[in-house]
DNA sequence: CTCCCGATAT
DNA sequence: ATATCAGGAG
C-alpha cells in the first residue's frame, strides 16, 4: 500500500466513524447466537427489514433450536415464505438446527470451518456470527461491502474471499467490524446501488467513483 | 456458471 | 419491466 493509499484509507475510516459512529449495531433482530444464525440465513437476497418482520413471529413459534429441528418443512416454508428462496432456506434451517444439536451440543461454533459446514452457512454468514457473537475482528463481505469497496477503489476483485483479505490488509483491525455496518448503512441510505446520491455522500471527496455533477 | 425466489423501489 | 435486497450450493 502506497503512502497515498494509506492516507485515503485513514480518511475513509475517519469520515465513516464521524458520520456513522463507532457503536456497533446489528440490523438483524436476535436474542442469541442461533437466532442470529437463522436470521442471517434468511437474509440472503432479502432486506433485513423483511427478515425482522418474519423472525418476530418465527422465534415465538419456534422458541428453541429443537423446535426448528423438529419443524415440519412444509409449514416452515410457509412461515418464511416472504423472504424468498424459502424451500432452500427451510431445508437448510432444519438441517442446520439438527447438526447444531447433534454435533455441537446446541451451541453455535465460533470457527469458520465448523460454521461453514452447517447447512446453508457460507463465509458471509459465518463472519456475521464471528463478529457479532464472538467479537472476533472479521470482515463481512456482503453485497454492499463488495459494491462500495469497489467504488472506493479499495479492491478491484469480484471474489468475496479476495475482497475480505484485501480489506483486512488495508483497514485497521479495530475498524473491521465497524466497516461492515457503516458501509451497509451507507449503502442503504446514500450509496444506493440503483441510484447513488453522491452529492449527499460524506465520502464523495475521497471516492474515485463519485459523480457530484448531477 | 446456474439455480434458488418473494418483496420492493424505480 | 427490471434491478436489487446483510448469499449459498451444485
Amino acid at each position: 500500500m502506497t503512502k497515498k493509499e494509506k492516507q485515503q484509507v485513514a480518511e475513509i475510516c475517519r469520515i465513516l466513524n464521524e458520520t456513522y459512529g463507532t457503536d456497533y449495531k446489528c440490523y438483524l433482530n436476535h436474542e442469541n447466537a442461533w437466532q442470529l444464525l437463522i436470521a442471517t440465513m434468511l437474509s440472503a437476497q432479502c432486506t433485513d427489514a423483511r427478515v425482522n418482520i418474519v423472525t418476530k413471529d418465527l422465534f415465538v413459534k419456534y422458541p428453541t433450536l429443537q423446535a426448528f429441528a423438529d419443524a415440519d418443512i412444509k409449514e416452515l416454508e410457509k412461515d418464511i415464505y416472504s423472504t424468498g428462496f424459502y424451500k432452500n432456506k427451510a431445508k437448510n434451517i432444519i438441517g442446520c438446527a439438527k447438526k447444531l444439536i447433534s454435533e455441537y451440543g446446541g451451541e453455535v461454533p465460533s470457527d469458520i470451518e465448523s460454521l461453514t459446514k452447517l447447512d446453508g452457512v457460507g463465509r458471509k454468514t459465518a463472519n456475521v456470527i464471528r463478529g457479532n457473537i464472538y467479537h472476533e475482528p472479521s470482515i463481512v463481505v456482503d453485497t454492499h461491502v463488495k459494491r462500495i469497496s469497489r467504488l472506493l477503489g479499495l479492491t478491484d476483485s469480484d471474489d468475496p474471499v479476495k475482497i475480505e483479505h484485501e480489506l483486512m490488509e488495508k483497514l485497521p483491525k479495530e475498524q473491521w467490524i465497524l466497516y461492515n455496518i457503516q458501509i451497509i448503512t451507507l449503502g442503504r441510505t446514500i450509496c444506493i446501488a440503483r441510484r447513488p446520491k453522491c452529492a449527499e455522500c460524506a465520502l464523495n471527496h475521497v471516492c474515485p467513483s463519485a459523480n457530484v455533477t448531477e
Side-chain angles (χ1 to χ4, degrees), chain A residues 30-54:
Chain A
H30 65 280
E31 292 178 354
N32 55 49
W34 62 261
Q35 284 190 353
L36 179 60
L37 186 64
I38 290 174
T40 309
M41 291 165 74
L42 291 175
S43 74
Q45 295 296 290
C46 179
T47 60
D48 54 342
R50 168 62 50 186
V51 172
N52 287 334
I53 291 172
V54 169

Side-chain angles (χ1 to χ4, degrees), chain A residues 125-136:
Chain A
T125 300
N127 275 326
V128 168
I129 294 299
R130 286 169 54 77
N132 277 280
I133 302 299
Y134 298 106
H135 306 291
E136 306 247 11

Side-chain angles (χ1 to χ4, degrees), chain A residues 130-150:
Chain A
R130 286 169 54 77
N132 277 280
I133 302 299
Y134 298 106
H135 306 291
E136 306 247 11
S138 49
I139 299 277
V140 177
V141 181
D142 56 53
T143 180
H144 292 299
V145 169
K146 175 178 174 180
R147 177 170 51 81
I148 295 176
S149 296
R150 286 169 60 89

Side-chain angles (χ1 to χ4, degrees), chain A residues 27-191:
Chain A
Y27 285 116
L28 295 168
N29 296 339
H30 65 280
E31 292 178 354
N32 55 49
W34 62 261
Q35 284 190 353
L36 179 60
L37 186 64
I38 290 174
T40 309
M41 291 165 74
L42 291 175
S43 74
Q45 295 296 290
C46 179
T47 60
D48 54 342
R50 168 62 50 186
V51 172
N52 287 334
I53 291 172
V54 169
T55 54
K56 187 182 180 193
D57 294 329
L58 193 70
F59 293 150
V60 174
K61 180 168 180 177
Y62 304 89
T64 62
L65 258 185
Q66 190 65 52
F68 279 105
D70 296 336
D72 175 74
I73 188 162
K74 288 299 174 188
E75 193 173 337
L76 184 56
E77 284 177 8
K78 283 170 59 181
D79 293 331
I80 64 171
Y81 181 82
S82 68
T83 66
F85 299 155
Y86 57 92
K87 289 187 178 178
N88 283 339
K89 287 176 181 174
K91 180 159 56 71
N92 287 335
I93 288 171
I94 293 174
C96 181
K98 286 181 174 173
K99 197 172 289 184
L100 284 175
I101 291 169
S102 64
E103 296 184 22
Y104 299 97
E107 298 295 316
V108 178
S110 61
D111 62 292
I112 297 272
E113 294 72 27
S114 301
L115 283 164
T116 52
K117 278 185 197 165
L118 298 167
D119 311 41
V121 178
R123 196 173 183 87
K124 180 256 171 179
T125 300
N127 275 326
V128 168
I129 294 299
R130 286 169 54 77
N132 277 280
I133 302 299
Y134 298 106
H135 306 291
E136 306 247 11
S138 49
I139 299 277
V140 177
V141 181
D142 56 53
T143 180
H144 292 299
V145 169
K146 175 178 174 180
R147 177 170 51 81
I148 295 176
S149 296
R150 286 169 60 89
L151 290 173
L152 285 170
L154 296 178
T155 179
D156 58 358
S157 175
D158 271 316
D159 177 16
V161 178
K162 285 184 183 171
I163 295 175
E164 181 181 332
H165 287 108
E166 274 191 76
L167 290 176
M168 287 194 292
E169 284 177 20
K170 294 186 178 182
L171 298 172
K173 209 165 192 173
E174 60 272 18
Q175 192 78 30
W176 289 2
I177 197 67
L178 280 175
Y179 181 78
N180 300 328
I181 202 68
Q182 289 166 335
I183 292 296
I184 288 164
T185 307
L186 176 68
R188 297 197 327 173
T189 57
I190 306 290
C191 193

